[in-house]
Amino acid sequence: MTRPASDGYVRPDLRVYSFVACDGRVVEYGSRFNAVDSQPAEDDYVTMSATERFDQLTDVAESVIAHLAENFDVTVTQEADPPAIQPYGAPNRRVTLTPRDEQAAPLGFDFQNPGLVVRCGLLHDVGIPTCMCDACDESSITEAERVEDLAFAIADGHYRESVDGRLRMRISHVFDVPGRWGQSGTESALQDFRRDRARAVRGRLDQICGTWHPWPRRV
């Protein structure tokens, strides 16, 4: 039986951030509205508190990169002050893991301040956290899990992406983490930068029939 990519991985210790509610209770981020209010207030959608909790995602990404580089036959490249990938801002640093098998998907990390953009394969970029506002109430723990799940799904070959249509181009992606979760999406109303990027990689995706191979392990 093939070992999962996560085998042997150890997440770095993460600080759990909390705040004092109006009634004096200490509440952890990620459980705010379960413990205090039934729904966020209007101001919560434009307020971002304790965003430093997402600085810890840098440590998570570094641990994931080190684990994958140690266990899989990949090339790791780093860029300082690279250009932005739309629609995200320019990162402080970019790390890309490219498997030796050309039929396995590349994986990249753009280090923002704070947060990350995880670059999955050739077309799908995931900003983590999705949102930092108080209404979304994301926690560093759940966002760390997202980083790990995306990276290990790609290394395990549980990721597909495709480009369909000519005049009305569509981009599709599917993640499948067995026993945990799945995610899929399709974009049809593409902005120019997305359409140009899809055209540039369409031939390569057609060669793999949209399904990326598992990463080869180091011998």
Side-chain angles (χ1 to χ4, degrees):
M1 183 176 178
T2 303
R3 287 179 294 147
S6 60
D7 188 46
Y9 168 77
V10 178
R11 179 189 298 164
D13 291 334
L14 300 180
R15 174 185 169 188
V16 176
Y17 281 76
S18 59
F19 66 96
V20 179
C22 58
D23 61 3
R25 286 181 295 170
V26 177
V27 181
E28 294 180 4
Y29 281 99
S31 61
R32 175 177 183 177
F33 300 108
N34 292 332
V36 183
D37 304 308
S38 59
Q39 60 184 7
E42 186 173 339
D43 286 349
D44 290 328
Y45 291 94
V46 293
T47 303
M48 294 185 289
S49 304
T51 57
E52 64 271 15
R53 67 188 185 276
F54 300 119
D55 290 339
Q56 302 178 104
L57 296 178
T58 294
D59 296 332
V60 174
E62 296 283 15
S63 294
V64 169
I65 291 167
H67 172 78
L68 293 175
E70 180 181 357
N71 290 279
F72 293 89
D73 192 4
V74 296
T75 299
V76 180
T77 57
Q78 303 204 33
E79 301 174 68
D81 299 318
I85 294 179
Q86 292 180 286
Y88 300 99
N92 303 320
R93 183 165 58 98
R94 174 172 293 152
V95 179
T96 304
L97 292 84
T98 306
R100 302 284 185 184
D101 181 354
E102 293 186 354
Q103 293 188 318
L107 171 67
F109 297 86
D110 282 9
F111 292 83
Q112 307 284 341
N113 186 23
L116 302 165
V117 176
V118 182
R119 295 179 289 107
C120 307
L122 302 179
L123 289 173
H124 191 51
D125 306 318
V126 183
I128 300 178
T130 303
C131 183
M132 299 186 198
C133 78
D134 286 2
C136 288
D137 192 35
E138 306 284 9
S139 79
S140 55
I141 304 298
T142 57
E143 297 309 282
E145 289 175 350
R146 289 183 66 207
V147 173
E148 294 159 354
D149 283 347
L150 290 170
F152 296 143
I154 288 174
D156 282 329
H158 296 311
Y159 177 53
R160 304 190 300 275
E161 58 184 342
S162 60
V163 179
D164 303 300
R166 295 291 177 181
L167 296 178
R168 304 190 66 172
M169 191 177 292
R170 299 182 306 278
I171 297 173
S172 301
H173 72 272
V174 178
F175 285 98
D176 179 23
V177 181
R180 282 179 51 78
W181 60 273
Q183 173 186 310
S184 63
T186 299
E187 299 176 62
S188 55
L190 302 180
Q191 295 176 283
D192 287 344
F193 74 90
R194 293 286 284 159
R195 190 177 297 108
D196 292 344
R197 187 172 166 187
R199 286 196 185 103
V201 302
R202 182 173 196 156
R204 185 175 176 192
L205 292 178
D206 286 346
Q207 289 177 355
I208 63 168
C209 298
T211 300
W212 291 107
H213 287 193
W215 285 10
R217 284 194 172 267
R218 292 197 181 277
V219 179

